[in-house]
């Protein structure tokens, strides 16, 4: 068994063959953690979890969504479905798409609301951070919520900071070609690594569609980089994800 700790199977890129993509992964022993980033996505994500046993849901909102009523609707949906989910996220900060100071401040206010909700519902947080790693780490510092940094792209110092706090660092399939991701994997102890595809994005081959089955390639690459047996990488990363998401199998 191996866990794809972050993917988006409800995205339109899978409309033609969603069932085949999921079945391919399940047949290969891949458990999937599917992440919603909008209220509409929340509904379809929950439906997928209902339909397929080993597709779990995390519910969140794209940080670049600044509309107040959508933020409130998302917070309410998460609370309403708290028993059906394994984490809150992805949530966080995105300074790549959001450049204006005022809007970045708004992102922080919204992120704080999700952090507080995670604390209140006692759920772990799946974090999205793009060009905003230092602010994300600052905002999380006073919190004691469990944290997984999805597709983390920080500097080596930021990785060290995350590791010292015991955050999980989720390594995406782009590790196949990304020197930066390879560096991050080298710097992170296996005990804090989980694997993800971020499907349909970040495929091992650029500009192709990614799918959860490719999580096996992430394990292979990490084994190669760290000089470990593939089975060890699969086993430890699976245990890390199981514990973080509270998966009881
Ligand atoms: Zn994602």
């Amino acid at each position: 068994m191996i866990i794809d700790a972050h993917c988006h199977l409800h995205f339109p890129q899978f409309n033609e063959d969603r069932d085949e993509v999921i079945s391919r992964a399940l047949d290969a022993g891949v458990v999937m953690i599917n992440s919603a980033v909008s209220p509409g996505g929340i509904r379809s994500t929950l439906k997928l979890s209902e339909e397929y046993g080993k597709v779990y849901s995390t519910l969140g909102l794209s940080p670049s969504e600044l509309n107040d009523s959508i933020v409130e609707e998302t917070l309410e949906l998460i609370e309403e479905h708290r028993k059906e989910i394994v984490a809150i996220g992805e949530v966080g900060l995105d300074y790549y798409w959001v450049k204006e100071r005022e809007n970045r401040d708004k992102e922080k206010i919204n992120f704080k609301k999700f952090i507080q909700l995670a604390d209140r519902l006692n759920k772990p947080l799946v974090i999205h951070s793009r060009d905003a790693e230092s602010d994300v780490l600052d905002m999380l510092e006073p919190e004691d919520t469990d944290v997984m940094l999805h597709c983390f792209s920080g500097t080596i110092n930021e990785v060290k900071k995350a590791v010292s706090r015991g955050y999980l660092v989720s390594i995406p399939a782009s590790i196949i070609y990304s020197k930066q991701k390879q560096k991050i994997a080298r710097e992170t102890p296996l005990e804090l690594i989980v694997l993800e595809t971020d499907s349909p994005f970040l495929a091992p081959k650029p500009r192709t569609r990614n799918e959860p089955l490719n999580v096996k390639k992430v394990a292979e690459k990490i084994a190669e980089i760290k000089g470990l047996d593939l089975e060890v990488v699969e086993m430890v990363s699976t245990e890390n994800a199981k514990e973080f998401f509270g998966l009881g199998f």
Side-chain angles (χ1 to χ4, degrees), residues 38-144:
S38 69
I42 285 178
R43 294 182 186 96
S44 28
T45 293
L46 291 169
K47 216 183 280 169
L48 281 178
S49 287
E50 236 170 76
E51 215 171 310
Y52 300 93
K54 292 265 164 33
V55 178
Y56 296 89
S57 291
T58 79
L59 306 183
L61 185 66
S62 197
S64 52
E65 177 57 72
L66 299 173
N67 180 302
D68 280 328
S69 67
I70 295 180
V71 173
E72 289 312 314
E73 186 187 357
T74 305
L75 289 161
E76 280 163 24
L77 280 167
I78 293 172
E79 176 131 27
E80 185 186 333
H81 295 283
R82 62 186 178 278
K83 294 214 169 73
E84 297 147 72
I85 65 175
V86 294
I88 291 177
E90 56 192 284
V91 292
L93 299 175
D94 193 311
Y95 293 170
Y96 177 83
W97 291 111
V98 176
K99 305 278 186 212
E100 304 78 13
R101 175 69 199 266
E102 208 180 308
N103 288 340
R104 287 181 174 182
D105 287 344
K106 188 82 211 310
E107 280 194 311
K108 287 187 189 170
I109 292 170
N110 294 339
F111 182 30
K112 184 76 186 170
K113 289 182 184 170
F114 288 108
I115 295 174
Q116 286 168 336
L117 184 65
D119 190 45
R120 192 154 57 77
L121 301 182
N122 199 18
K123 296 281 180 194
L125 274 170
V126 172
I127 301 295
H128 170 107
S129 149
R130 194 161 182 199
D131 295 349
E133 284 72 21
S134 143
D135 280 1
V136 161
L137 290 172
D138 283 352
M139 283 186 68
L140 289 170
E141 185 160 26
E143 313 292 334
D144 39 37

Side-chain angles (χ1 to χ4, degrees), residues 6 8 90 150 198:
H6 187 91
H8 307 282
E90 56 192 284
H150 134 65
D198 203 18

